[in-house]
Amino acid sequence: MLEFKNVTKTFNIGTVNERTALNDISITLPKGDFVTLVGSNGGGKSSLMNVISGVYLADSGSITLDGRDITFLPEHKRSRDIGRLFQDPMKGTAPNMTIAENLFLAYGRARRLGFRIGVGKNLTSLFQERLALLDLGLEDRLRTKMGLLSGGQRQAITLLMATICTPKLLMLDEHTAALDPATADKVLKLTEAIIKEEKITTIMITHDMHQALELGNRTLMIENGKIIQDLSGPEREAMTVDKLVGMFK
């Protein structure tokens, strides 16, 4: 469960560029919630993600994840429990390291393994098994460097890295927006399958209003740093894309 209580974040305090990105936001996400997050550019979507992940610390309020207060926890410590994918497939992986090495870094971070431990046979089998699920023919390319892969292949592996040890929270920041339609659809379906199977609490930023209503079980709309709509249950089921776009405007 993720709990946001009265969280505020203001940038450039005391200057002409002062801007409140998050304005006294309170949200509760029960375990297994899959939330789609919509809003205009500058509305607060990315700031919300960055404050949750620890890129920025909140000015006030509190953040708890599964009962643990993470409000002032450094980003690298939160990353053990929080998986995140970005729009840019180049982020989240080390291009000069192999697929196996990237997967091991993700697995080791979540499992808190030391760097002295190598990629043994057991882990190699695990990585091949997980890669086979991607259906991209990567299970036999563990020694291939990440920088040689296509954007779709890298994003699929980044998804695998973020979920190879089930995170308490998964954050998806328009993670298919930079991919071609066919690859984006494949990565999105894979995302849904993993989230459903592992029952991962998830927040996904999207500008696609169809995705906002079709995916997950809840839709939040953020504007000027405030949550202005929280749709779930029958209300969300009855919502149409046209109505949502109207609300967005």
Side-chain angles (χ1 to χ4, degrees), residues 1-5 7 51-52 57-58 60-74 77-78 81-82 168:
M1 175 185 288
L2 175 71
E3 288 187 285
F4 236 56
K5 291 185 179 179
V7 173
V51 168
I52 292 173
L57 295 181
S60 60
S62 65
I63 308 169
T64 59
L65 183 60
D66 281 4
R68 182 190 186 193
D69 189 337
I70 63 170
T71 310
F72 300 108
L73 201 66
K77 290 188 176 180
R78 298 190 202 195
D81 296 318
I82 299 175
K168 293 180 180 178

Side-chain angles (χ1 to χ4, degrees), residues 25 30 35 49 60 92 117 131 141 163 177 183 192:
I25 286 184
V35 173
M49 293 284 213
S60 60
I117 301 176
L131 286 167
R141 297 180 61 186
T163 57
T183 304
E192 286 187 274

Side-chain angles (χ1 to χ4, degrees), residues 197-210:
E197 181 178 349
E198 303 296 336
K199 297 180 174 61
I200 304 172
T201 306
T202 304
I203 303 175
M204 186 183 84
I205 292 178
T206 180
H207 278 113
D208 187 319
M209 295 302 176
H210 289 276

Side-chain angles (χ1 to χ4, degrees), residues 181-196:
T183 304
D185 184 62
K186 189 167 191 174
V187 171
L188 199 58
K189 287 180 178 177
L190 178 64
T191 302
E192 286 187 274
I194 291 175
I195 290 171
K196 184 177 181 180

Side-chain angles (χ1 to χ4, degrees), residues 88-116:
D88 184 356
M90 302 299 284
K91 287 187 176 182
T93 58
N96 292 320
M97 297 179 73
T98 66
I99 293 174
E101 289 167 340
N102 273 273
L103 287 171
F104 178 73
L105 285 178
Y107 185 86
R109 180 185 64 228
R111 295 288 186 180
R112 305 185 184 185
L113 301 178
F115 285 102
R116 291 173 297 176

